[in-house]
Amino acid sequence: SLRFDSGKKHLKLFAKEKFSNDDNYVLTVSGSLDTRDGRVESRAYVRKKFFPDSVLTRVDMGLSYATTQDDVRYGLNGRRTFDITDDGLLTLDVKGGCMVGSKGAKRPDVVGCVELTQKIFNFQEDQDLKLRLGYDLRERGFYGQIRENNWTFNTNFRDKWDVKYDL
């Protein structure tokens, strides 16, 4: 994909591949090349997905390594999805998680958000649309996303935005 954001104001070439098995283990490998200065960043993430029948819709447990942090991080994330409409096209998601680094970080990185998502199939011929409005508990602010088959636009409605195009 091609990525451009309002902060750095330069283009990145990004690639990601996911490998999974029947036991719900997922290995995700990603990397990016900054077209401005040639800097390469990469990340590997291994997780086990659980689908409990109780309170949560999905739980992910795993570890990641990013070249920008040079640290192995361990995490636990959970999600609960509520269908607002019978067809499942309008949902409310509650997400939360915690990441801890191996290099003795003082405090764990705790995240949480609430998202309202509307999917519109065949918005135009052969074109689907996804609209998302969320509230990030860590950043204490709203954010939005408009996603079409190949294009994605994200914003925090204040000072940050980015555009992604999937090749």
Side-chain angles (χ1 to χ4, degrees):
S1 66
L2 302 174
R3 298 181 174 202
F4 185 86
D5 69 71
S6 63
K8 296 179 181 166
K9 294 188 173 92
H10 43 99
L11 187 68
K12 283 189 175 183
L13 302 174
F14 181 83
K16 177 166 72 171
E17 190 66 42
K18 290 184 181 182
F19 307 94
S20 59
N21 67 7
D22 293 338
D23 294 326
N24 291 321
Y25 284 97
V26 179
L27 168 64
T28 304
V29 180
S30 63
S32 65
L33 173 66
D34 193 318
T35 60
R36 185 178 199 181
D37 58 15
R39 186 176 34 153
V40 175
E41 298 175 359
S42 60
R43 180 175 185 220
Y45 183 54
V46 177
R47 69 177 185 244
K48 167 76 173 161
K49 292 182 181 184
F50 300 94
F51 300 94
D53 292 332
S54 59
V55 178
L56 296 173
T57 307
R58 188 174 95 198
V59 175
D60 291 349
M61 183 174 61
L63 60 96
S64 68
Y65 177 81
T67 57
T68 56
Q69 297 171 339
D70 193 29
D71 188 15
V72 175
R73 298 177 53 82
Y74 305 92
L76 181 67
N77 297 305
R79 166 190 281 194
R80 174 68 176 157
T81 299
F82 300 95
D83 289 332
I84 295 177
T85 57
D86 291 337
D87 59 9
L89 297 178
L90 181 62
T91 61
L92 179 71
D93 290 314
V94 179
K95 302 176 185 177
C98 178
M99 293 286 286
V100 172
S102 64
K103 292 191 175 180
K106 297 174 186 170
R107 295 186 342 199
D109 186 18
V110 179
V111 295
C113 65
V114 178
E115 296 178 341
L116 183 65
T117 303
Q118 173 71 56
K119 297 175 187 169
I120 305 168
F121 293 120
N122 288 320
F123 176 73
Q124 297 279 332
E125 187 176 336
D126 296 326
Q127 181 183 32
D128 299 333
L129 192 66
K130 184 188 289 187
L131 306 171
R132 178 174 288 150
L133 178 64
Y135 185 79
D136 188 322
L137 300 172
R138 182 176 55 180
E139 297 292 325
R140 295 187 179 147
F142 288 97
Y143 60 90
Q145 180 184 75
I146 300 171
R147 183 177 178 103
E148 182 263 347
N149 295 355
N150 294 63
W151 291 93
T152 304
F153 175 77
N154 297 303
T155 181
N156 68 356
F157 298 114
R158 291 186 305 262
D159 57 352
K160 295 180 184 175
W161 58 266
D162 65 75
V163 176
K164 301 173 186 173
Y165 179 75
D166 294 329
L167 300 173

